[in-house]
Amino acid sequence: MYLFTGQRDHKIDGKDRIVVPSAYATAITATGKGVVYLVPGPDGGCLEAYPGDVFEAMAGGQVPNRFDGDLARKRAFFSNAERCELTGPGRISIPDRFLALFPQREVRICGFNTYLELWDPRRWEVEVGSGIRVDGGKPPPKA
């Protein structure tokens, strides 16, 4: 069982790799078979990174059945997934087709319970911000 929390920023190196934070990488290596599956988020603004065992459990519950469920969503999800092995000190390669999501070659890796999200840090700030709310839910004032 995973409980991914927090966020870290990393640069994409010259070989299109990022370092997965060590606590995340250790958990993925120990129980996730040392693999993550990268899938574009539902709005296309980020990548979701599912540990191998989480992705396989999801797949087991989504066996295509032409008479049940939303086949278009299933097709889009699974056909866009890319399997990535953790190598060396917890590195993964970002497939070429996903690199455009990170125009500054920086990635914010965010814990999201049982999986990770990979965001362009600037887009994260616009769409999510700090997430800290004060004064009845209003965002804190800008400094």
Side-chain angles (χ1 to χ4, degrees), residues 12-50:
I12 298 173
D13 71 14
K15 295 182 180 179
D16 299 334
R17 301 175 302 190
I18 58 168
V19 175
V20 176
S22 62
Y24 301 159
T26 299
I28 292 166
T29 300
T31 57
K33 304 179 180 182
V35 170
V36 295
Y37 287 84
L38 299 179
V39 183
D43 65 357
C46 70
L47 289 178
E48 298 171 344
Y50 294 91

Side-chain angles (χ1 to χ4, degrees), residues 104-118:
Q104 304 298 314
R105 297 188 63 83
E106 295 175 10
V107 177
R108 179 158 297 160
I109 303 171
C110 305
F112 200 87
N113 193 358
T114 58
Y115 66 96
L116 303 170
E117 289 186 336
L118 282 57

Side-chain angles (χ1 to χ4, degrees), residues 113-134:
N113 193 358
T114 58
Y115 66 96
L116 303 170
E117 289 186 336
L118 282 57
W119 285 81
D120 170 69
R122 286 152 195 81
R123 185 168 187 160
W124 170 271
E125 291 303 325
V126 169
E127 293 193 21
V128 180
S130 70
I132 298 171
R133 301 288 186 238
V134 295

